[in-house]
Amino acid sequence: MNLYSFILRKDDTSLQKNKSEKYNKILNSAGAVFAEYGFYKATISQIAAQAGVADGTLYLYFKNKDDILYQFISFKTNVVFKEMHAAVKKGRNAEEKLRYLIRCHLTEFQNDRNMAIIFQSEVRYLRDIESQIKDISKMYLGLLSDIIEQGQIEGSMRQDLFIGLVKRFILGAVEGVISTWVSADGRYDLVSMADPLVDLYLTGLKG
Amino acid sequence: MNLYSFILRKDDTSLQKNKSEKYNKILNSAGAVFAEYGFYKATISQIAAQAGVADGTLYLYFKNKDDILYQFISFKTNVVFKEMHAAVKKGRNAEEKLRYLIRCHLTEFQNDRNMAIIFQSEVRYLRDIESQIKDISKMYLGLLSDIIEQGQIEGSMRQDLFIGLVKRFILGAVEGVISTWVSADGRYDLVSMADPLVDLYLTGLKG
DNA sequence: TTAAAGAATGAATTTATATTCATGATACTT
DNA sequence: AAGTATCATGAATATAAATTCATTCTTTAA
């Protein structure tokens, strides 16, 4: 059902390394092509060409075109999941945790622009993928809830916050910043926005 | 080039009212179908059925499928444009202007959920539409810049704000809130989020 | 009342591309 | 080295849906 079971289904042999390589090649090529043209305008032939294999070969590794996008998002989601959890753990108090989370978020997306584009724009399509995305989003919002509650206990954040709104507010603003960076073809350093952004969260426009 | 010239091209007769009605019917139906299925999965036949006309009829009013989406976005953009400008004018100081703008934004999107969905998810598509969207986005960011600068002059907002970031921060957060509301099938009142949201902008999490 | 113009229809056509599968290549085993 | 199994190929097929256009219906005006 997930990425790992998929790989094992076909690669549980001594050939594992080779097949894995081709699988990854296709997945990366798909990421590039989807990011450039969008899922629907991207064609199997384009992806195959980019990966240097025949069209039919994609169907040895993926069920169909939808499945390629699904696998891509599953894989990236898992990776980012782990990084973010680790990042939050490093923080010793709520403010630090928030800072690490935002920094991690921006770092991951800056390092994988195709992923950034795909997460941002192909989110809405397949039902499966939609719930996949909702999962990552839920996880993220869960992390934020914990941080805010901790901040309230610590006394570093106000008690009257409507957490449901605050979570969205924080996530929306990061995504907005990423979105702009993508539109600007990634021509500036995204990660350097992290601290100013967190300052805005914490102290607002009035200061 | 814009909606008005398009209408005039075909409706500059005494029949204007009737034709306009059919044009609008198709446009609204298209909005509903695009919102439900997404641009690519939506079919001409679905839109035609929804509008109660034959497939071929769509081609009397629109150049092709892309054009339908383009016209839809042009039209909605113009409407929202005007409302937002008017809203900002009502405010007597920066804080009030911001409040009116956000309230207007949420009101417009709450009142037209199809538009909200389409703006949120079909944005990335045609080159033309992309620039169309960039225009509305630019306009919005321009309004925000003005408000922030005014706030700085008035002394109600801090001097050390990085305006380029703040604009994105504000827009991203509203969009995030709208996005959640759409995902929740519009089951709660979006406009009531406006004031808590603006409070977050202004005073932040620390308060 | 009827003929001409305009509008609408929807079946037929066109196009595009995802997917299949017969064939050929490659690697592994004994 | 021959045989077997696995993997890769890409031309052929299937399918879906956008678009066209000959025909029919409706309105207008003399």
Side-chain angles (χ1 to χ4, degrees):
Chain A
M1 192 65 87
N2 63 19
L3 179 66
Y4 300 114
S5 60
F6 180 86
I7 289 177
L8 291 175
R9 186 166 85 234
K10 296 216 160 193
D11 291 353
D12 199 9
T13 72
S14 58
L15 281 181
Q16 182 160 10
K17 222 170 296 174
N18 289 329
K19 289 193 194 170
S20 226
E21 268 164 32
K22 195 154 282 190
Y23 172 88
N24 286 321
K25 188 114 202 253
I26 293 170
L27 210 58
N28 281 328
S29 304
V33 176
F34 288 157
E36 179 163 4
Y37 298 98
F39 178 76
Y40 283 99
K41 281 197 187 151
T43 71
I44 292 291
S45 296
Q46 282 176 306
I47 297 168
Q50 176 100 357
V53 299
D55 292 12
T57 304
L58 301 215
Y59 292 87
L60 301 175
Y61 294 90
F62 300 90
K63 218 167 63 209
N64 51 37
K65 190 183 172 188
D66 287 4
D67 189 44
I68 301 175
L69 180 56
Y70 177 78
Q71 300 283 337
F72 182 89
I73 291 184
S74 290
F75 177 67
K76 297 298 183 182
T77 297
N78 278 338
V79 172
V80 172
F81 240 74
K82 276 178 201 144
E83 295 292 333
M84 285 181 175
H85 269 290
V88 169
K89 266 196 195 135
K90 287 198 302 181
R92 279 313 191 155
N93 56 48
E95 188 176 323
E96 251 185 60
K97 280 177 198 281
L98 183 60
R99 227 169 261 284
Y100 277 118
L101 176 60
I102 301 300
R103 223 177 270 151
C104 171
H105 190 154
L106 296 181
T107 304
E108 291 299 310
F109 279 65
Q110 169 157 279
N111 288 341
D112 192 341
R113 197 153 157 274
N114 290 338
M115 173 182 75
I117 293 171
I118 289 170
F119 268 63
Q120 173 170 72
S121 47
E122 308 301 346
V123 159
R124 185 173 177 326
Y125 286 122
L126 308 167
R127 282 248 174 284
D128 281 345
I129 283 182
E130 212 180 338
S131 72
Q132 193 79 20
I133 290 289
K134 271 181 190 152
D135 285 347
I136 195 175
S137 178
K138 253 186 203 160
M139 179 279 300
Y140 198 93
L141 295 175
L143 286 178
L144 287 175
S145 288
D146 292 346
I147 292 172
I148 295 160
E149 277 161 22
Q150 187 182 341
Q152 289 179 321
I153 291 169
E154 288 170 11
S156 62
M157 292 179 189
R158 6 181 206 141
Q159 301 298 319
D160 67 336
L161 295 172
F162 172 17
I163 295 189
L165 180 67
V166 172
K167 296 188 299 191
R168 276 294 148 191
F169 163 81
I170 294 177
L171 179 54
V174 199
E175 286 177 344
V177 170
I178 292 172
S179 178
T180 307
W181 175 79
V182 165
S183 301
D185 286 326
R187 268 193 280 271
Y188 55 88
D189 185 55
L190 182 58
V191 179
S192 68
M193 304 275 114
D195 285 318
L197 186 57
V198 173
D199 288 341
L200 278 176
Y201 291 144
L202 294 174
T203 59
L205 301 176
K206 283 183 175 171
Chain B
M1 192 61 91
N2 64 17
L3 180 66
Y4 301 114
S5 59
F6 180 86
I7 289 177
L8 291 175
R9 184 165 88 234
K10 296 215 159 192
D11 292 353
D12 199 9
T13 73
S14 56
L15 283 180
Q16 182 160 9
K17 221 170 295 172
N18 290 329
K19 289 194 197 170
S20 227
E21 268 164 33
K22 193 153 283 189
Y23 172 88
N24 285 322
K25 188 113 202 254
I26 294 171
L27 210 58
N28 281 328
S29 304
V33 175
F34 288 157
E36 180 165 3
Y37 298 99
F39 179 77
Y40 284 101
K41 284 196 185 152
T43 71
I44 292 290
S45 296
Q46 282 177 305
I47 296 168
Q50 176 99 357
V53 298
D55 293 12
T57 304
L58 300 215
Y59 292 87
L60 300 175
Y61 294 89
F62 300 90
K63 218 168 62 209
N64 52 36
K65 191 183 173 187
D66 287 4
D67 189 44
I68 301 176
L69 180 56
Y70 177 79
Q71 298 284 337
F72 183 89
I73 292 184
S74 290
F75 177 67
K76 298 297 182 183
T77 297
N78 277 339
V79 172
V80 172
F81 239 73
K82 275 178 202 144
E83 294 292 333
M84 286 179 174
H85 268 289
V88 168
K89 264 194 195 138
K90 288 200 301 182
R92 278 314 192 152
N93 56 48
E95 189 176 323
E96 252 184 58
K97 279 177 198 282
L98 182 60
R99 228 169 261 283
Y100 277 118
L101 175 60
I102 302 300
R103 222 177 270 151
C104 170
H105 190 154
L106 296 181
T107 303
E108 292 299 309
F109 278 65
Q110 169 156 281
N111 289 341
D112 193 341
R113 196 152 157 276
N114 290 337
M115 172 182 76
I117 293 172
I118 290 169
F119 269 64
Q120 173 171 70
S121 47
E122 309 300 346
V123 157
R124 180 176 156 24
Y125 176 43
L126 308 167
R127 277 245 177 288
D128 281 345
I129 284 182
E130 212 180 339
S131 72
Q132 193 79 21
I133 291 289
K134 271 181 191 150
D135 285 347
I136 195 175
S137 180
K138 250 186 206 162
M139 178 277 302
Y140 198 93
L141 295 175
L143 286 179
L144 287 175
S145 287
D146 292 347
I147 292 172
I148 296 161
E149 276 162 23
Q150 187 182 339
Q152 288 179 321
I153 291 169
E154 287 171 13
S156 61
M157 292 180 190
R158 5 181 206 142
Q159 301 298 319
D160 67 335
L161 295 172
F162 173 16
I163 296 189
L165 180 66
V166 172
K167 295 188 298 192
R168 276 291 147 194
F169 163 80
I170 295 177
L171 179 54
V174 200
E175 286 177 344
V177 170
I178 293 172
S179 178
T180 307
W181 175 80
V182 165
S183 300
D185 286 326
R187 269 193 280 272
Y188 55 89
D189 185 55
L190 182 58
V191 179
S192 68
M193 305 273 116
D195 285 318
L197 186 58
V198 173
D199 288 342
L200 278 176
Y201 290 145
L202 293 174
T203 60
L205 302 176
K206 284 183 174 169

